[in-house]
Amino acid sequence: MNNLNKFNLSGKYALITGAAGLLGKEHAKALLEVNSKVVLVDISKDRLYDLKKNLNNENCFFYELDVTSEKDIFNLNESLNKQLININILINNAAINPSVKSKLGNSLLSNRLEEFSLDDWDKQLDVGLKGAFLCSKIFGQTMSEKLNGGIILNIASDLSVIAPDQRIYSKDDLNWNEQNVKPVTYSVVKFGLVGLTKYISTYWAERNIRCNSLSPGGVFVEQDQKFVERLTSHIPLKRMANPDEYRSAIQFLCSEASSYMTGHNLVIDGGRTVW
Ligand SMILES: NC(=O)c1ccc[n+]([C@@H]2O[C@H](COP(=O)([O-])OP(=O)(O)OC[C@H]3O[C@@H](n4cnc5c(N)ncnc54)[C@H](O)[C@@H]3O)[C@@H](O)[C@H]2O)c1
């Protein structure tokens, strides 16, 4: 067998959560390239509409779904099963990517630990962690009942391995207790996803389900120049990622090409976490 054939996902269905965001779209393109059919779910109807126009591909199926609702995930799974759509691959990608906020202006909006609200904590953990748990529970159970098992891939971050360096986000004109920070929830969600990955990888191993996580480094989307300079000074390859640079990893992790890999956190970060 030509080894490249192991990447072929013809006849498979992959479900991607948070699919209408920056990276979700890239994951979809990666899987379509290797002949998978893709079920693209997102909470935002408008973004899904744009995605549908952008992809314009008959192998894509679009559903509005809130990953924090167990009932809605259950109903979607039932409806897919009735249409004989068996999800072989699940990518837990949805997240609330909270903006880095400073204390100035409205102190209630601060991400600083001393002021971080329980409401923000709940919302961000609900989408990033509870959503991944619920989708794994429901779609994973259906996979576990099939002979050919499946693949669950959790999208974490380089911040699943290291703590955020808050100096990257700082502004020269602010006091220490007013500085912008990456919120605590980001670390908790991403480290939590690695724990969920390891748990599922052993739990369903005998049901032929492999579970890994992918930890991308930051993607360049015209961020503030000072921020980019500070961040890239921590990255041996001296740059942020292009949006399409995780596609090969998605193809690898979601196919037989990674058949002996489970419970792993694949970090692709230009070397940031090596330093
Ligand atoms: N962009 C980066 O630089 C980067 C770096 C490392 C890790 N990541 C991770 O990659 C993943 C995708 O990031 P992104 O940059 O594409 O984010 P994004 O904000 O562009 O997309 C996230 C998507 O999730 C959707 N979403 C939010 N709440 C939802 C819910 N309750 N149910 C269903 N969908 C919901 C949003 O509508 C959005 O379309 C995230 O897990 C993120 O943490 C991103």
Side-chain angles (χ1 to χ4, degrees), residues 17-24 27 41-44 47 65-68 92-97 127 155-158 186 190 216-219:
T17 70
L22 175 71
L23 286 182
H27 306 334
V41 306
D42 201 287
I43 198 170
S44 164
R47 282 176 167 219
L65 178 76
D66 178 355
V67 294
T68 67
N92 287 313
N93 169 76
I96 294 182
N97 285 320
V127 177
I155 305 299
S157 157
D158 53 4
Y186 201 80
K190 298 309 184 184
V219 175

Side-chain angles (χ1 to χ4, degrees), residues 213-234:
S213 43
L214 171 64
S215 282
V219 175
F220 180 65
V221 280
E222 308 288 338
Q223 290 95 335
D224 170 74
Q225 194 185 345
K226 191 132 200 187
F227 164 78
V228 176
E229 277 168 19
R230 284 183 175 148
L231 173 57
T232 53
S233 73
H234 290 263

Side-chain angles (χ1 to χ4, degrees), residues 88-90 143 149-153 209-210 253-256 258:
N88 311 101
I89 299 157
L90 165 67
M143 285 177 197
I151 289 173
I152 298 176
L153 177 62
I209 293 179
R210 293 189 294 112
L253 291 166
C254 293
S255 70
E256 279 300 289
S258 60

